[in-house]
Structure formats: C-alpha cells, structure tokens
Amino acid sequence: MGSYVSWDSVHMDMAVQVIRQGIAAHPNRLDMHFGYIHFLGQAKRWEDFAAGIEAVLAQDAANDHQWLWSDNEPFNESDFPGFFQDYQVTLFNEQDPALFPFNIRISNAVLKHYPEDIPSISNLGVIAYYQEDLEKACIHFQHAVDLDPSDMIVVFNLAYMYETLGEVDKAIATYELALASEDPEAREQAKAIIDELQK
C-alpha cells in the first residue's frame, strides 16, 4: 500500500564498487558516469558525488569530448557543461549551507575546462551571497555579465547586489542593461526598479 527507499550501506558499497569497475572498463560511456553520479546524489554521498563529476570533466578533456551512450552509440552535446547544472541544483535543493563547498568544488571543476560557463560562475556568486560576502558575489556576477550581458539572471543578480550594498548608481546602470532585453517582462521589471531607485 506504500513504499519507501532505504539504503543498506553494505549493499550500497557493493553497488558502488561494481559501477566503478564498469566505468573503469568503459570510461567513455557517459550514461554509466551519469547513472553513477545520480545514484550517489540519491544516496547523499556528496564527496563521491563531487568526485564523480570531477572525473567526468577530466575524462571529457582526455577523450576530446568523444562520448558514447547506451549501446555504444556516439553521443554529442553542444552544451556539455549544462549537464552539471542539474547536479548543482540537486545540492542546492538540500538547503544545507554545509554542502556549499561541494557546489564550489563542482563549479570550479566545470570552469577549469569551460571557463566561460555562465551558470557555474553564477553559482559561485549565489553561494557568496548566501555566505553574506556581497563584494565577492559582485565579482562573480560582474564576470558573468561581462561574458553575456544578455543573460538577465546574472544582470538582475548583479544589480541586486549593488542595490543591497547601497551602490545605487551602479545598480541603476546594471538594471539599465535589462532595458535592452528581448524579454518584455525583464524590461518592465527593470524600468519599475530604476524608477523606484531614482525617487
């Protein structure tokens, strides 16, 4: 009439060992890596979770992005770093600041290989904000905006940081970037905030 998931540490360790052996034998099978990482996230084995992601990124560099999927079919994805944002969300959803070091570790691992990955840069800014280091958050969000001023998430995050710091002129200048957005809601929201800040 009901169900629940339980984790037996002995059997879980056995499963991890078997999966690791499979990955070692077939290091370019991306589906195996991702299945392994998903399993570790479900089990909340965060150290192994982060290490598994780092291993995928290292292998991505080693195999020059030549991945295989199930049935050894070639697998290509133009936004390869995008996969790792889902894993970041898994950590953020735990709502546990003690896990932030794993978010930072994963973001830095992505940026080592994909230095212009906006979500990873933004993640570092979000964590700095949660840790009440607004100056550091500004540095990360500014970096992201410099790379892509059309990304309204980082534009609004940066503007809000300046607003929170009381740097109104910088906040307004940043919100003004949104006035050129193709998103009408972003333009409307930015205009309303600018009008309020200029009172």
mmCIF file of all heavy atoms in Angstrom, residues 85 87-96 99-100 103 107 122-124 126-127 130:
data_model
loop_
_atom_site.group_PDB
_atom_site.id
_atom_site.type_symbol
_atom_site.label_atom_id
_atom_site.label_comp_id
_atom_site.label_asym_id
_atom_site.label_seq_id
_atom_site.Cartn_x
_atom_site.Cartn_y
_atom_site.Cartn_z
ATOM 1 N N GLN A 85 24.781 21.585 -14.265
ATOM 2 C CA GLN A 85 23.922 22.496 -13.527
ATOM 3 C C GLN A 85 22.802 21.728 -12.818
ATOM 4 O O GLN A 85 22.388 22.085 -11.721
ATOM 5 C CB GLN A 85 23.341 23.569 -14.448
ATOM 6 C CG GLN A 85 22.553 24.648 -13.733
ATOM 7 C CD GLN A 85 23.387 25.429 -12.709
ATOM 8 O OE1 GLN A 85 24.619 25.399 -12.731
ATOM 9 N NE2 GLN A 85 22.717 26.119 -11.801
ATOM 10 N N TYR A 87 23.095 18.861 -11.479
ATOM 11 C CA TYR A 87 23.691 18.320 -10.264
ATOM 12 C C TYR A 87 23.882 19.408 -9.210
ATOM 13 O O TYR A 87 23.748 19.160 -8.001
ATOM 14 C CB TYR A 87 25.033 17.650 -10.586
ATOM 15 C CG TYR A 87 24.905 16.452 -11.497
ATOM 16 C CD1 TYR A 87 25.691 16.324 -12.629
ATOM 17 C CD2 TYR A 87 23.976 15.452 -11.229
ATOM 18 C CE1 TYR A 87 25.570 15.226 -13.471
ATOM 19 C CE2 TYR A 87 23.839 14.354 -12.063
ATOM 20 C CZ TYR A 87 24.634 14.252 -13.183
ATOM 21 O OH TYR A 87 24.510 13.167 -14.007
ATOM 22 N N GLN A 88 24.184 20.622 -9.666
ATOM 23 C CA GLN A 88 24.269 21.744 -8.732
ATOM 24 C C GLN A 88 22.910 21.974 -8.064
ATOM 25 O O GLN A 88 22.839 22.220 -6.856
ATOM 26 C CB GLN A 88 24.699 23.019 -9.477
ATOM 27 C CG GLN A 88 26.121 22.988 -9.995
ATOM 28 C CD GLN A 88 27.137 23.374 -8.931
ATOM 29 O OE1 GLN A 88 26.931 23.140 -7.747
ATOM 30 N NE2 GLN A 88 28.234 23.959 -9.341
ATOM 31 N N VAL A 89 21.858 21.901 -8.863
ATOM 32 C CA VAL A 89 20.511 22.092 -8.320
ATOM 33 C C VAL A 89 20.198 21.016 -7.278
ATOM 34 O O VAL A 89 19.572 21.291 -6.249
ATOM 35 C CB VAL A 89 19.471 22.091 -9.455
ATOM 36 C CG1 VAL A 89 18.046 22.053 -8.893
ATOM 37 C CG2 VAL A 89 19.654 23.323 -10.340
ATOM 38 N N THR A 90 20.655 19.785 -7.527
ATOM 39 C CA THR A 90 20.467 18.707 -6.554
ATOM 40 C C THR A 90 21.039 19.110 -5.203
ATOM 41 O O THR A 90 20.405 18.909 -4.158
ATOM 42 C CB THR A 90 21.152 17.414 -7.048
ATOM 43 O OG1 THR A 90 20.518 16.975 -8.249
ATOM 44 C CG2 THR A 90 21.052 16.309 -5.999
ATOM 45 N N LEU A 91 22.222 19.698 -5.228
ATOM 46 C CA LEU A 91 22.840 20.144 -3.978
ATOM 47 C C LEU A 91 22.093 21.327 -3.370
ATOM 48 O O LEU A 91 21.815 21.353 -2.165
ATOM 49 C CB LEU A 91 24.300 20.527 -4.225
ATOM 50 C CG LEU A 91 25.291 19.375 -4.352
ATOM 51 C CD1 LEU A 91 26.603 19.859 -4.967
ATOM 52 C CD2 LEU A 91 25.551 18.747 -2.989
ATOM 53 N N PHE A 92 21.763 22.330 -4.198
ATOM 54 C CA PHE A 92 21.050 23.498 -3.686
ATOM 55 C C PHE A 92 19.709 23.103 -3.063
ATOM 56 O O PHE A 92 19.273 23.698 -2.070
ATOM 57 C CB PHE A 92 20.821 24.518 -4.796
ATOM 58 C CG PHE A 92 22.010 25.380 -5.118
ATOM 59 C CD1 PHE A 92 22.490 25.474 -6.427
ATOM 60 C CD2 PHE A 92 22.659 26.108 -4.131
ATOM 61 C CE1 PHE A 92 23.584 26.277 -6.732
ATOM 62 C CE2 PHE A 92 23.756 26.911 -4.425
ATOM 63 C CZ PHE A 92 24.217 26.992 -5.734
ATOM 64 N N ASN A 93 19.052 22.106 -3.641
ATOM 65 C CA ASN A 93 17.750 21.682 -3.129
ATOM 66 C C ASN A 93 17.812 21.075 -1.736
ATOM 67 O O ASN A 93 16.792 20.978 -1.048
ATOM 68 C CB ASN A 93 17.091 20.693 -4.090
ATOM 69 C CG ASN A 93 16.525 21.364 -5.327
ATOM 70 O OD1 ASN A 93 16.357 22.577 -5.360
ATOM 71 N ND2 ASN A 93 16.239 20.584 -6.355
ATOM 72 N N GLU A 94 19.004 20.678 -1.320
ATOM 73 C CA GLU A 94 19.169 20.169 0.043
ATOM 74 C C GLU A 94 19.038 21.284 1.076
ATOM 75 O O GLU A 94 18.805 21.026 2.256
ATOM 76 C CB GLU A 94 20.531 19.487 0.192
ATOM 77 C CG GLU A 94 20.679 18.198 -0.584
ATOM 78 C CD GLU A 94 19.788 17.088 -0.058
ATOM 79 O OE1 GLU A 94 19.801 16.848 1.172
ATOM 80 O OE2 GLU A 94 19.072 16.465 -0.867
ATOM 81 N N GLN A 95 19.199 22.534 0.622
ATOM 82 C CA GLN A 95 19.085 23.707 1.506
ATOM 83 C C GLN A 95 19.965 23.568 2.751
ATOM 84 O O GLN A 95 19.547 23.852 3.872
ATOM 85 C CB GLN A 95 17.621 23.941 1.893
ATOM 86 C CG GLN A 95 16.740 24.235 0.686
ATOM 87 C CD GLN A 95 15.306 24.560 1.052
ATOM 88 O OE1 GLN A 95 14.843 24.253 2.145
ATOM 89 N NE2 GLN A 95 14.594 25.179 0.130
ATOM 90 N N ASP A 96 21.187 23.133 2.518
ATOM 91 C CA ASP A 96 22.132 22.913 3.605
ATOM 92 C C ASP A 96 23.427 23.656 3.290
ATOM 93 O O ASP A 96 24.194 23.239 2.412
ATOM 94 C CB ASP A 96 22.397 21.416 3.764
ATOM 95 C CG ASP A 96 23.340 21.104 4.917
ATOM 96 O OD1 ASP A 96 23.836 22.055 5.576
ATOM 97 O OD2 ASP A 96 23.594 19.910 5.169
ATOM 98 N N LEU A 99 26.792 22.078 2.507
ATOM 99 C CA LEU A 99 27.092 21.470 1.209
ATOM 100 C C LEU A 99 27.666 22.470 0.206
ATOM 101 O O LEU A 99 28.067 22.071 -0.889
ATOM 102 C CB LEU A 99 25.831 20.819 0.627
ATOM 103 C CG LEU A 99 25.207 19.695 1.453
ATOM 104 C CD1 LEU A 99 23.992 19.127 0.737
ATOM 105 C CD2 LEU A 99 26.230 18.595 1.736
ATOM 106 N N PHE A 100 27.701 23.744 0.567
ATOM 107 C CA PHE A 100 28.224 24.748 -0.367
ATOM 108 C C PHE A 100 29.628 24.432 -0.876
ATOM 109 O O PHE A 100 29.935 24.693 -2.039
ATOM 110 C CB PHE A 100 28.195 26.144 0.260
ATOM 111 C CG PHE A 100 26.830 26.746 0.367
ATOM 112 C CD1 PHE A 100 26.588 27.816 1.222
ATOM 113 C CD2 PHE A 100 25.765 26.272 -0.395
ATOM 114 C CE1 PHE A 100 25.323 28.387 1.320
ATOM 115 C CE2 PHE A 100 24.498 26.832 -0.301
ATOM 116 C CZ PHE A 100 24.284 27.891 0.555
ATOM 117 N N ASN A 103 29.255 22.534 -3.962
ATOM 118 C CA ASN A 103 28.843 23.388 -5.076
ATOM 119 C C ASN A 103 30.037 24.147 -5.647
ATOM 120 O O ASN A 103 30.214 24.235 -6.874
ATOM 121 C CB ASN A 103 27.795 24.406 -4.624
ATOM 122 C CG ASN A 103 26.431 23.819 -4.382
ATOM 123 O OD1 ASN A 103 26.039 23.636 -3.231
ATOM 124 N ND2 ASN A 103 25.685 23.523 -5.439
ATOM 125 N N SER A 107 31.538 23.767 -9.385
ATOM 126 C CA SER A 107 31.607 24.944 -10.261
ATOM 127 C C SER A 107 33.030 25.184 -10.743
ATOM 128 O O SER A 107 33.266 25.439 -11.929
ATOM 129 C CB SER A 107 31.087 26.183 -9.529
ATOM 130 O OG SER A 107 29.708 26.108 -9.321
ATOM 131 N N SER A 122 27.788 31.951 -12.087
ATOM 132 C CA SER A 122 26.649 32.452 -11.319
ATOM 133 C C SER A 122 26.485 31.687 -10.009
ATOM 134 O O SER A 122 26.163 32.274 -8.968
ATOM 135 C CB SER A 122 25.371 32.344 -12.155
ATOM 136 O OG SER A 122 24.263 32.863 -11.452
ATOM 137 N N ASN A 123 26.700 30.375 -10.047
ATOM 138 C CA ASN A 123 26.601 29.575 -8.819
ATOM 139 C C ASN A 123 27.557 30.096 -7.749
ATOM 140 O O ASN A 123 27.203 30.162 -6.566
ATOM 141 C CB ASN A 123 26.930 28.103 -9.104
ATOM 142 C CG ASN A 123 25.861 27.414 -9.918
ATOM 143 O OD1 ASN A 123 24.709 27.823 -9.943
ATOM 144 N ND2 ASN A 123 26.243 26.354 -10.606
ATOM 145 N N LEU A 124 28.759 30.443 -8.156
ATOM 146 C CA LEU A 124 29.736 30.977 -7.201
ATOM 147 C C LEU A 124 29.237 32.295 -6.616
ATOM 148 O O LEU A 124 29.429 32.578 -5.424
ATOM 149 C CB LEU A 124 31.090 31.155 -7.874
ATOM 150 C CG LEU A 124 31.784 29.867 -8.350
ATOM 151 C CD1 LEU A 124 33.062 30.205 -9.103
ATOM 152 C CD2 LEU A 124 32.073 28.946 -7.172
ATOM 153 N N VAL A 126 26.024 33.150 -6.290
ATOM 154 C CA VAL A 126 24.892 32.830 -5.406
ATOM 155 C C VAL A 126 25.393 32.346 -4.050
ATOM 156 O O VAL A 126 24.890 32.764 -2.998
ATOM 157 C CB VAL A 126 23.996 31.766 -6.065
ATOM 158 C CG1 VAL A 126 22.982 31.215 -5.061
ATOM 159 C CG2 VAL A 126 23.268 32.348 -7.275
ATOM 160 N N ILE A 127 26.398 31.484 -4.073
ATOM 161 C CA ILE A 127 26.935 30.974 -2.807
ATOM 162 C C ILE A 127 27.569 32.098 -1.994
ATOM 163 O O ILE A 127 27.378 32.188 -0.776
ATOM 164 C CB ILE A 127 27.948 29.839 -3.070
ATOM 165 C CG1 ILE A 127 27.212 28.624 -3.645
ATOM 166 C CG2 ILE A 127 28.681 29.453 -1.790
ATOM 167 C CD1 ILE A 127 28.125 27.594 -4.254
ATOM 168 N N TYR A 130 24.802 33.931 -0.330
ATOM 169 C CA TYR A 130 24.272 33.203 0.830
ATOM 170 C C TYR A 130 25.237 33.246 2.013
ATOM 171 O O TYR A 130 24.817 33.197 3.171
ATOM 172 C CB TYR A 130 23.994 31.746 0.464
ATOM 173 C CG TYR A 130 22.726 31.544 -0.340
ATOM 174 C CD1 TYR A 130 22.692 30.616 -1.382
ATOM 175 C CD2 TYR A 130 21.564 32.254 -0.066
ATOM 176 C CE1 TYR A 130 21.536 30.410 -2.125
ATOM 177 C CE2 TYR A 130 20.410 32.056 -0.792
ATOM 178 C CZ TYR A 130 20.398 31.137 -1.824
ATOM 179 O OH TYR A 130 19.257 30.937 -2.553
#
